């Protein structure tokens, strides 16, 4: 596996994750709450990864929300309503594999926060020009934090 280790987290994803943001100012959007759990083995894997100079790669935006919720609260399980938008300071995740998300979604805002708004716009312009498939069962992309 070329030095790649895997670890698991749990986030009980609610319908609100996929609901469009309907407010003018994103600061006015209220994120729904979801329950998460990060096993001790996963925390040990993250610490070991950091100790050897590795990168933490999240598979999916929900994994990002889970890991960054833990970083803020230091609680390995509980409810989170974290809403990640541009300006968010990431503490755990270095790279992300995720789908192409729909406009006005909280997931698209997380991607913009992670990779930077100009870069996200360029990626999405390319995806549309190439007829990539969007949403949960579409094409995926590899993103690094900027």
């Amino acid at each position: 596996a070329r030095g790649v280790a895997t670890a698991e987290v749990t986030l009980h994803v609610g319908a609100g994750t996929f609901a469009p943001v309907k407010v003018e100012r994103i600061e006015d959007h209220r994120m729904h709450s979801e329950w998460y759990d990060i096993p001790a083995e996963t925390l040990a894997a993250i610490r070991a990864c950091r100790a050897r100079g590795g990168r933490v790669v999240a598979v999916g935006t929900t994994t990002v929300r889970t890991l960054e919720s833990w970083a803020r609260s230091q609680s390995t399980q509980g409810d989170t309503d974290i809403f990640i938008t541009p300006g968010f300071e990431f503490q755990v995740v270095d790279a992300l594999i995720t789908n192409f998300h729909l406009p006005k979604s909280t997931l698209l805002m997380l991607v913009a926060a992670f990779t930077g708004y100009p870069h996200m716009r360029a990626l999405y312009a390319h995806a549309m020009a190439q007829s990539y498939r969007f949403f949960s069962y579409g094409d995926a992309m590899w993103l690094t934090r900027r």
Side-chain angles (χ1 to χ4, degrees), residues 53-72:
R55 294 187 291 183
V56 174
V57 178
V59 178
T61 54
T62 54
T63 303
V64 174
R65 288 186 64 224
T66 301
L67 293 174
E68 296 298 335
S69 292
W70 161 71
R72 286 186 158 202

Side-chain angles (χ1 to χ4, degrees), residues 92-128:
V92 180
V93 180
D94 301 306
L96 166 63
I97 298 171
T98 190
N99 304 95
F100 285 87
H101 303 289
L102 295 177
K104 298 184 180 180
S105 70
T106 62
L107 306 176
L108 185 62
M109 291 173 199
L110 185 152
V111 169
F114 193 79
T115 196
Y117 186 72
H119 186 63
M120 187 252 342
R121 286 192 50 96
L123 291 170
Y124 277 72
H126 173 81
M128 289 185 288

